[in-house]
Amino acid sequence: VQLQASGGGLVQAGGSLRLSCAASGGTFSHYAMGWFRQAPGKEREFVAAISWSGGRTETADIVKGRFTISRDNNKNTVYLQMNSLKPEDTAVYYCAARGGSWHPNPDAMDAWGQGTQVTVSS
């Protein structure tokens, strides 16, 4: 499966963005999907994940209550709605796919999107 992330940009603190990740070349509903992020000089970290059916989600404590992951299997797309953004949310955001059940280890992913930059100004 190939992934194409979009929707990043520059936003002021307290603002919102919605990231999208479109999948092609595979059976989207066979994959659990997730979002990671990587800030300069830091390791890639888990943000949120959603099961193949959309019935189960996981969200990192650092973004819980502010970020929401969802998916539309008819459109082969996963979304990350980001509200109440903070400067520390600034990072490149990556979507990822894993066949079967989710695992938060980045090394366990089957495919990655190219990343989309999110910059939050104070």
Side-chain angles (χ1 to χ4, degrees):
V1 64
Q2 290 80 48
L3 305 175
Q4 179 76 34
S6 62
L10 174 63
V11 64
Q12 289 189 332
S16 298
L17 282 174
R18 188 176 81 155
L19 305 183
S20 299
C21 176
S24 61
T27 304
F28 183 65
S29 60
H30 287 182
Y31 293 90
M33 299 295 297
W35 289 94
F36 293 80
R37 69 186 185 185
Q38 188 166 20
K42 295 188 177 182
E43 293 186 353
R44 192 168 297 190
E45 63 178 358
F46 168 73
V47 175
I50 189 165
S51 64
W52 65 270
S53 68
R56 179 176 177 177
T57 62
E58 297 179 28
T59 308
D61 288 342
I62 54 174
V63 301
K64 194 164 291 184
R66 299 189 297 121
F67 291 12
T68 303
I69 189 170
S70 62
R71 67 189 293 162
D72 185 337
N73 285 350
N74 292 322
K75 295 182 178 180
N76 291 350
T77 302
V78 62
Y79 305 97
L80 185 68
Q81 178 67 44
M82 306 185 295
N83 298 328
S84 302
L85 282 160
K86 305 175 181 180
E88 51 264 43
D89 294 319
T90 295
V92 178
Y93 283 71
Y94 298 89
C95 58
R98 187 172 191 274
S101 60
W102 178 255
H103 193 288
N105 186 342
D107 293 336
M109 300 302 111
D110 294 317
W112 289 92
Q114 86 287 5
T116 184
Q117 176 71 47
V118 172
T119 303
V120 185
S121 63
S122 57

